Amino acid sequence: METLLVVAAAETPVYRARFAQAMPDLHVVGTDEGFDPAAVDYVAGWHAAPGLFATLPGLRAVFALGAGVDALLARDDLPASLPLVRLLDAGMAEQMVEYALFGALTWQRRVHDYDLQQRHRLWRKQPPRTRGETAIGVLGLGSLGGAVAGELARFGYPVTGWSRRPREVDGVRCLHGDDGLVQLLGETDVLVNLLPSTPQTRGLLDRHRLGLLRPGAYLVQASRGDQFDHAALVDLIDDGCLGGALLDVFEREPLPTDSPLWTHPRIRITPHVAATTLVEPAVQQIADNIRRLRGGEPLQGVVDRRQDY
Ligand SMILES: NC(=O)c1ccc[n+]([C@@H]2O[C@H](COP(=O)([O-])OP(=O)(O)OC[C@H]3O[C@@H](n4cnc5c(N)ncnc54)[C@H](OP(=O)(O)O)[C@@H]3O)[C@@H](O)[C@H]2O)c1
């Protein structure tokens, strides 16, 4: 019988029980109990102890319990020849759509402006903004970005998306390449970043590129925290160039308590919860992939090691 090792920190018992139920023909073990490293065929999880993969000589595939795999790719114990598989949507796209919509409405309905006015008991009407005049830019048109761009367009916002290769998303103007990025930034009021963290995207939203956004624009940063310049963001907001930000991800997580981002009146912080992995769809998707692997069929969501996502 094949063995699946579950590595999911505090959630290991929950995932272990659910995998065992979903695949009765699989021996499911967790890092919270004793297991034979030589017997492990598959790993499902995140935050594996350093060096763990090197102790598993029979490992055939690693299934990430998330959509982003930058932390797994940064490890030195995961051979490049081993299939690394990530979750495709698995209930996260819907959550990300909600998060992005929350950000778009925060800008459109001037939530930060009115929050500030409320602090001063100030009753003052600001000029209204319509959906039609709220230009949304979505960086990344994959499982999550594609869904976000499509849904925000259906909601009535003019949406422009940006990806590495040319893409088509219903109702969305799709751009690619360096020129496409410059064009998108210059026409965007609400920028939603859903790019994976790769050598090409780390630091992408630097002072210069953030400064290309429309005056008073808003950043929704929900992918990874190493893609934007925290200090530049604060400076640009304080200078009135940007209108604020909704931030879910940070270079250091948890965000250190002394970070100025916590108390900035135009920055809203959430603790990496924009789209949470849901046990049921995650287990179903990984179980389906294990069946595919056994049947010699192609796996869904294999990470392209040349592109790092
Ligand atoms: N905050 C949270 O709770 C949370 C939850 C889940 C995921 N995430 C983050 O969201 C990210 C996106 O997830 P996903 O499932 O949508 O990923 P995905 O399906 O791999 O999509 C990635 C998109 O980014 C584009 N892209 C990649 N590198 C690029 C580059 N150098 N220039 C331009 N476009 C580039 C890809 O272009 P192509 O279409 O041309 O390939 C693709 O459209 C994850 O990597 C993770 O970091 C965050």
Side-chain angles (χ1 to χ4, degrees), residues 109-125:
R109 299 307 305 248
R110 299 182 182 272
V111 172
H112 287 296
D113 295 336
Y114 289 125
D115 274 352
L116 284 163
Q117 286 189 195
Q118 187 175 341
R119 286 188 197 183
H120 298 99
R121 301 171 188 228
L122 187 61
W123 184 276
R124 180 185 293 158
K125 295 183 185 186

Side-chain angles (χ1 to χ4, degrees), residues 66-70 86-89 92 96 99 139-146 162-167 176-177 193-198 200-201 204 221-224 227 248-249 272-277 307 309:
V69 287
D70 41 298
R86 67 189 195 86
L87 292 178
L88 293 177
D89 178 356
M92 284 182 277
M96 202 54 99
Y99 194 82
L139 302 182
L141 292 173
S143 304
L144 305 183
W162 186 69
S163 53
R164 195 170 54 81
R165 298 161 290 187
R167 289 264 172 195
H176 63 281
N193 184 5
L194 287 169
L195 292 167
S197 170
T198 70
Q200 286 71 41
T201 66
L204 187 83
Q221 179 67 34
S223 44
R224 286 292 183 266
Q227 296 168 332
D248 189 53
V249 287
H272 203 140
V273 292
T276 303
T277 301
Q307 301 300 341
Y309 69 96

Side-chain angles (χ1 to χ4, degrees), residues 112 233-234 237 244-247 260-262 264-269:
H112 287 296
L233 176 71
V234 171
I237 296 174
L246 170 61
L247 306 175
L261 298 174
W262 278 115
H264 198 290
R266 289 188 171 274
I267 292 177
R268 193 177 293 270
I269 306 272

